[in-house]
Amino acid sequence: MDARYTNVLRDKMDEASLACLEALQDERVHAFVADAVRLCRPDSVKVCSDSAEDRAYVRRRAIETGEETPLAIDGHTVHFDGFHDQARDKAATKYLLPEGVGLGAELNSTEREAGLKEVRSFLDGAMDGKQMYVRFFCLGPADSRFSISCVQCTDSAYVAHSEDLLYRPGYEHLKGLGPDGEFFRFLHSAGRLDEQNTSADIDKRRIYIDILENMVYSVNTQYGGNTIGLKKLALRLAIRKADREGWLAEHMFLMGVRGPGKRITYFTGAFPSMCGKTSTAMLPGELIVGDDIAYLRAVDGEMRAVNVESGIFGIIENVNAHDDPVIHDCLTRRGEIIFSNILVSGDRPYWLGMGAKIPGAGTNYSGEWHEGVTDSGGNEITPSHHNARYTVALGALGNCDPRLDDPDGVPVAGIMYGGRDSDTSVPVKEAFDWAHGVITMGAAIESETTAATLGSAGERKFNMMSNQDFLAIPFGKYIQNHLDFAGKVERPPLIFATNYWLKGADGQWLNGKLDKHVWLKWMERRVHGQTDAIEGPTGLLPKYEDLKALFREILGKDYSRHDYLEQFSIRVRKNLDKLDRLRDHFGAMADLPPLVAETLAAQRRRLEALQAAKGDLVSPLDL
Ligand code: SPV
Ligand code: MN
């Protein structure tokens, strides 16, 4: 290692760590770690390889530092983020824009030099009194065309531990990268801690993405979505890499759906956070590959996908034995799990919607909590936060697909797009073709906001491919990349739109939580040409008889014609209203592919013709 780096590092780390770093023989990595040390000034540095000892060390440190506390069940711990640090901070997340580079007005950005100066000033000495952990991970399976090497420096053992559960080891992988291989870098500090061990300087929370250097800075925050570099921070860098190289980096689950015989058909699905992504991927009897981020590439004329991650950072609210039996079972057994921002009482975790009585007092993200306690604005503090989560490796789940680490990925036959839509779209429909699906289903996702990001919940917002929070290229280019994908494969996957959140006139949900299993099986049959559909103005709809048979087979339930008509009637007026909103939304964007306007205009003509002929609400039987 060059003396410029050893001089900085020798005082901070033992021989083993120094040797571990040196053995990588990558000057870029040495320079990154030395810069992080010089800037953040930790008391000591631990460089971790992929070894079981180093992983155990990080796990132990998370407890020693008080970032995690053991719970009653062996392997379970709890971590709390600060009261105002419970979700992704969109406002403080910015791209650092080099001179002459434009990403479009939609993206939150700041001038690069000024941004670097600001975030580096917040990181200056931020690790004083703390240890820095250097970790190596691989996004996607190792040694595959999908793999991306990553280096994380953090002063949070919780972040480093979470990454062990969520990502594949990458130390050995990085050794094979070569001097020109691309890798991502993440530097995080929780910053100054308060007496509760949570980030004190929340007003100085920053997540700055340096697209020139493939690097993300994160400071004065602990919440996973802001700090776990390999998750949403890496997704932003990956979207840019995918754009350069002609593939797609998506906010998508990936799962195998069982069909007749021994058939397994792979689907990806993009829903905004808290809209049912994990619970779909986790449906009992099916195979989960991933629940959050997928890379999609054209390989030998086929769309193939991998899970970028190897674990789940999932929402715990409403996980109970009835609705989510697979994950509920996992969360109540021994095994390595980090619970975050739940309620702890008697060393046991409790959360809203768990299907058991929640104690009236305990410890939660607000400190000592009891029923009825309010925040400074007079709002009741819930026992667990709505965005409380669990972190677990996929291998701990009984339904994990054995192809999780297949370096060639799995072939994708269907894509689902959906959002929280209480009054417009039917529960499931199929696009007429690829472009119709990309534009009217993916790019047009509109969803009511949730607790997964800071800010008010329940507001209707567009969220393109559910990836909009993470887009790092102009929106028009992103849509064009999707449209172009069809030309790279022999048969593009079928595209579907799902809506689990439709309500009736009385304001009640029209579907049970498990109904999505039926929609999934219908889509699987459609992919194989085994069921007919009804042509509607916004897509192809299931027939009553087919759903009735599937409800019986999958859920053992009678599905009434009345329910079908209520759920699958076309709300023509509402669909036209959405097209109006879309016109405003897209109208504000530069450089949209012309096909967007053409496709939406055709959809409008079909809806208007139907309205003229049959009115504002049209039964699927009248189409
Ligand atoms: C999401 O909010 O989409 C998540 C969790 O998957 S986070 O890590 O916050 O992005
Ligand atoms: Mn997500």
Side-chain angles (χ1 to χ4, degrees):
M1 196 179 336
D2 192 289
R4 274 176 301 161
Y5 312 129
T6 30
N7 288 345
V8 181
L9 299 175
R10 195 179 288 114
D11 290 351
K12 302 284 184 180
M13 54 177 75
D14 61 16
E15 284 302 321
S17 277
L18 201 61
C20 190
L21 193 60
E22 186 145 31
L24 289 169
Q25 297 188 358
D26 192 318
E27 173 153 0
R28 300 168 302 170
V29 178
H30 301 161
F32 168 55
V33 176
D35 175 59
V37 168
R38 218 181 282 119
L39 177 65
C40 303
R41 300 197 294 281
D43 279 12
S44 66
V45 180
K46 167 74 180 171
V47 181
C48 301
S49 70
D50 300 339
S51 72
E53 294 78 38
D54 285 355
R55 295 161 72 108
Y57 176 84
V58 166
R59 209 160 49 229
R60 197 170 64 242
R61 288 295 295 156
I63 290 172
E64 283 168 5
T65 58
E67 288 183 271
E68 292 176 35
T69 308
L71 294 171
I73 296 182
D74 205 20
H76 292 196
T77 58
V78 58
H79 163 81
F80 292 113
D81 299 303
F83 190 78
H84 298 290
D85 195 22
Q86 294 286 317
R88 278 188 277 115
D89 183 349
K90 287 182 10 171
T93 305
K94 295 185 185 172
Y95 295 97
L96 299 178
L97 273 196
E99 226 181 281
V101 177
L103 294 180
E106 298 83 11
L107 298 185
N108 200 10
S109 61
T110 188
E111 193 270 313
R112 180 167 183 269
E113 290 309 318
L116 278 178
K117 202 164 160 212
E118 182 192 26
V119 73
R120 289 180 70 94
S121 77
F122 294 166
L123 281 161
D124 192 358
M127 297 186 187
D128 183 29
K130 295 194 267 183
Q131 185 169 31
M132 181 172 102
Y133 309 91
V134 184
R135 309 290 328 256
F136 303 92
F137 296 99
C138 181
L139 296 174
D143 301 320
S144 101
R145 51 164 59 82
F146 293 94
S147 329
I148 300 177
S149 281
C150 295
V151 186
Q152 167 93 60
C153 292
T154 176
D155 61 4
S156 164
Y158 158 71
V159 168
H161 177 205
S162 298
E163 289 179 333
D164 257 336
L165 291 171
L166 294 172
Y167 300 96
R168 297 167 178 96
Y171 177 76
E172 293 303 327
H173 185 263
L174 190 91
K175 280 185 177 168
L177 192 63
D180 301 319
E182 190 174 8
F183 66 99
F184 294 168
R185 287 172 287 165
F186 306 97
L187 173 57
H188 163 254
S189 170
R192 194 169 59 84
L193 301 176
D194 58 19
E195 53 293 345
Q196 304 215 33
N197 224 3
T198 58
S199 295
D201 298 315
I202 285 294
D203 56 320
K204 295 193 179 118
R205 173 171 52 201
R206 298 289 184 274
I207 300 103
Y208 280 2
I209 301 137
D210 186 2
I211 56 177
L212 262 195
E213 295 284 341
N214 265 338
M215 173 161 172
V216 185
Y217 296 86
S218 160
V219 65
N220 293 318
T221 173
Q222 291 169 311
Y223 171 69
N226 298 325
T227 59
I228 297 173
L230 285 87
K231 206 171 189 43
K232 296 308 185 345
L233 313 189
L235 176 56
R236 294 170 166 97
L237 298 176
I239 286 172
R240 292 188 62 79
K241 184 171 162 67
D243 175 55
R244 290 193 296 274
E245 297 175 353
W247 48 278
L248 302 172
E250 298 300 306
H251 190 204
M252 282 179 165
F253 71 71
L254 180 57
M255 71 184 297
V257 180
R258 294 182 197 278
K262 292 212 180 318
R263 186 168 78 200
I264 295 172
T265 307
Y266 287 93
F267 282 80
T268 67
F271 310 158
S273 316
M274 299 189 100
C275 291
K277 201 147 49 83
T278 305
S279 64
T280 303
M282 198 79 79
L283 279 166
E286 314 300 347
L287 293 164
I288 182 168
V289 187
D291 83 319
D292 199 36
I293 306 172
Y295 292 162
L296 316 178
R297 282 180 179 260
V299 180
D300 299 333
E302 248 188 345
M303 179 188 275
R304 297 188 76 95
V306 294
N307 180 7
V308 172
E309 312 181 280
S310 58
I312 300 184
F313 178 53
I315 302 208
I316 204 164
E317 188 164 310
N318 294 328
V319 170
N320 56 60
H322 179 263
D323 295 331
D324 289 287
V326 179
I327 190 65
H328 186 266
D329 178 55
C330 176
L331 296 182
T332 44
R333 261 188 291 117
R334 66 194 288 267
E336 200 173 340
I337 298 173
I338 309 172
F339 293 83
S340 52
N341 306 319
I342 41 92
L343 174 75
V344 180
S345 172
D347 291 339
R348 298 206 169 260
Y350 295 89
W351 58 90
L352 293 165
M354 71 188 288
K357 191 167 162 33
I358 299 183
T363 307
N364 77 357
Y365 65 102
S366 69
E368 288 314 305
W369 173 89
H370 61 86
E371 216 167 74
V373 69
T374 56
D375 65 16
S376 55
N379 308 302
E380 183 165 349
I381 297 176
T382 50
S384 61
H385 192 273
H386 293 303
N387 196 27
R389 291 184 178 247
Y390 57 89
T391 304
V392 68
L394 271 163
L397 299 173
N399 59 342
C400 176
D401 190 345
R403 294 179 72 177
L404 169 65
D405 290 320
D406 190 330
D408 295 324
V410 294
V412 179
I415 296 180
M416 305 157 59
Y417 289 112
R420 235 169 231 265
D421 162 10
S422 54
D423 63 9
T424 304
S425 190
V426 295
V428 63
K429 64 188 175 188
E430 179 185 325
F432 300 126
D433 55 35
W434 178 258
H436 180 250
V438 165
I439 293 166
T440 72
M441 296 176 179
I445 291 179
E446 192 183 31
S447 193
E448 289 142 34
T449 50
T450 66
T453 55
L454 299 172
S456 62
E459 232 181 285
R460 187 142 55 184
K461 289 222 166 112
F462 285 105
N463 190 342
M464 196 179 292
M465 316 319 185
S466 90
N467 210 6
Q468 195 159 312
D469 284 358
F470 317 110
L471 288 192
I473 59 173
F475 287 11
K477 184 79 192 327
Y478 178 69
I479 299 176
Q480 188 63 54
N481 291 347
H482 274 74
L483 293 172
D484 291 347
F485 203 97
K488 299 177 185 181
V489 292
E490 273 152 37
R491 183 175 175 243
L494 298 189
I495 295 181
F496 300 89
T498 55
N499 180 15
Y500 302 161
W501 309 94
L502 192 63
K503 290 181 176 172
D506 57 359
Q508 300 296 311
W509 307 119
L510 287 182
N511 290 104
K513 286 225 172 126
L514 293 175
D515 292 4
K516 54 178 167 292
H517 212 160
V518 171
W519 318 146
L520 204 61
K521 296 292 198 189
W522 179 78
M523 292 183 257
E524 201 276 342
R525 305 296 196 274
R526 285 294 297 165
V527 163
H528 295 281
Q530 287 180 331
T531 13
D532 277 347
I534 302 169
E535 189 166 334
T538 62
L540 304 166
L541 306 176
K543 292 188 157 170
Y544 171 63
E545 288 69 25
D546 294 328
L547 292 185
K548 184 178 164 68
L550 285 171
F551 263 95
R552 166 89 4 242
E553 184 189 325
I554 311 301
L555 301 179
K557 268 182 32 182
D558 270 337
Y559 184 56
S560 72
R561 190 175 289 270
H562 171 268
D563 282 354
Y564 172 72
L565 293 179
E566 210 177 5
Q567 294 163 15
F568 285 91
S569 287
I570 307 291
R571 302 178 183 207
V572 182
R573 181 69 257 155
K574 293 284 183 191
N575 274 281
L576 283 165
D577 290 347
K578 176 167 178 183
L579 283 178
D580 290 344
R581 292 193 298 275
L582 270 171
R583 188 172 43 203
D584 296 344
H585 174 63
F586 285 131
M589 287 178 204
D591 300 326
L592 271 192
L595 198 54
V596 172
E598 289 161 27
T599 304
L600 295 177
Q603 183 118 319
R604 180 180 293 277
R605 284 194 297 276
R606 286 190 299 270
L607 283 162
E608 283 174 350
L610 185 64
Q611 189 182 41
K614 309 214 159 129
D616 275 343
L617 186 69
V618 181
S619 155
L621 306 179
D622 287 341
L623 291 169

